[in-house]
Amino acid sequence: MNPEITQPRTSARQFAVQLSATRRGARLARLLATEQLRSWGLPLEDAAHVVAELASNATTHGRVPGRDFRLTLTVTATDTLRIEVTDARGDRLPTAQAAPGDGESGRGLLLVDALADRWGVTPGPVPCKTVWAEMGL
């Protein structure tokens, strides 16, 4: 049997993990993402910031007691890193807006907007939503 015929050709790589919707889970998301990107030989810093912001939002604004969030990293054949964070609050859609005054929070999606090539929200499956960001490599 010829493995070139039977094995599909794909250069996409994927990593996914389900984590508790807590501050510890958000911190672990960043650490795991950093290690995964390092193992793939990819740039870490900007992607780690995006993961941290999306995971933090999932644990702060998308948290439902007893429900986890999911982090997925995908590198596509077109050399794009897609970061997805799925939480259990599909009814609360994020928006990038400046925080009033000198507040310490409220600017996370502005950072995501600045670091990512594009980002958005995909609703569902009910009751969830996925906030995603894509970055060229």
Side-chain angles (χ1 to χ4, degrees):
M1 183 183 292
N2 185 342
E4 290 182 6
I5 295 171
T6 59
Q7 298 294 326
R9 288 189 176 190
T10 179
S11 59
R13 291 175 273 184
Q14 189 170 58
F15 169 80
V17 63
Q18 192 162 325
L19 299 161
S20 65
T22 62
R23 288 179 22 196
R24 183 176 183 207
R27 180 176 170 271
L28 188 55
R30 180 184 172 126
L31 293 171
L32 291 171
T34 300
E35 287 308 309
Q36 186 61 54
L37 294 170
R38 187 184 326 274
S39 77
W40 287 339
L42 298 176
L44 315 170
E45 192 170 323
D46 289 349
H49 286 304
V50 170
V51 168
E53 292 301 333
L54 296 183
S56 176
N57 283 352
T59 62
T60 303
H61 307 293
R63 185 173 188 275
V64 172
R67 300 288 305 268
D68 296 335
F69 75 94
R70 183 172 194 80
L71 167 68
T72 305
L73 305 175
T74 305
V75 179
T76 67
T78 58
D79 288 333
T80 299
L81 172 63
R82 183 174 174 100
I83 300 164
E84 298 178 335
V85 174
T86 303
D87 66 46
R89 289 296 303 264
D91 58 322
R92 297 185 74 182
L93 300 180
T95 57
Q97 54 188 341
D102 293 330
E104 292 183 17
S105 64
R107 294 184 182 87
L109 288 176
L110 292 175
L111 180 62
V112 170
D113 192 52
L115 295 174
D117 296 328
R118 63 197 148 276
W119 72 274
V121 181
T122 304
V126 173
C128 299
K129 72 173 174 300
T130 299
V131 182
W132 56 269
E134 293 182 341
M135 308 171 81
L137 297 173

